[in-house]
Amino acid sequence: MDLTLSTCFVLVHDPELAVGFYRDVLGLEVRNDVKREDYRWITVGSPAQPGVSIVLTNYLNGSPADADALAGLMAKGALSGVNFHTADLDAAFDKLRAADAEIVQEPTDQPWGTRDCAVRDPSGNMVRIDQPPA
């Protein structure tokens, strides 16, 4: 079996705030924006990886109790987010700080060989960015 990653979904509470963060702060391009009733599916991705997309959505296929449980997890920052690579972690971190992103971890050398930082998106999802060793 030969599999490649195509798309992952990140649940957000406010699609407009999310697209502002992922597009304007992280520099991802908006590839698609679909609205239906109160829900949105905004597809973003890196120009360097045209075959890989992230869908930012406020749609949850579940009951109102599921939506409440998810909102609680998002508020705590308990959901997994996305991880990115960059060639210049310090520049990326400076941009995040200038955008007033919620800093979880400043750039740190990790014992497994990479250097990374972590922030939360406007919905509380963890976003980690690493600079792999040269």
Side-chain angles (χ1 to χ4, degrees):
M1 185 180 316
D2 184 15
L3 301 176
T4 59
L5 180 64
S6 133
T7 308
C8 64
F9 287 74
V10 174
L11 291 169
V12 299
H13 73 278
D14 184 326
E16 209 51 48
L17 285 175
V19 75
F21 178 80
Y22 285 86
R23 180 194 59 213
D24 302 337
V25 178
L26 295 181
L28 302 181
E29 63 186 11
V30 175
R31 297 177 178 163
N32 199 11
D33 189 344
V34 177
K35 299 175 187 176
R36 184 172 181 212
E37 298 171 5
D38 293 333
Y39 302 107
R40 278 176 79 183
W41 295 262
I42 304 161
T43 305
V44 298
S46 169
Q49 290 182 298
V52 180
S53 297
I54 299 167
V55 178
L56 309 170
T57 185
N58 62 335
Y59 177 76
L60 176 66
N61 186 15
S63 71
D66 293 335
D68 290 343
L70 178 61
L73 290 171
M74 288 171 73
K76 292 178 185 179
L79 299 177
S80 296
V82 292
N83 293 15
F84 294 98
H85 290 303
T86 185
D88 188 345
L89 183 63
D90 292 322
F93 185 75
D94 289 345
K95 186 172 182 180
L96 291 164
R97 187 189 307 270
D100 290 326
E102 180 185 344
I103 307 298
V104 176
Q105 175 200 302
E106 295 195 9
T108 303
D109 292 324
Q110 299 295 351
W112 52 89
T114 193
R115 186 164 181 260
D116 71 355
C117 69
V119 298
R120 293 199 191 286
D121 75 7
S123 292
N125 295 300
M126 184 76 69
V127 174
R128 297 192 76 86
I129 302 174
D130 81 346
Q131 180 177 333

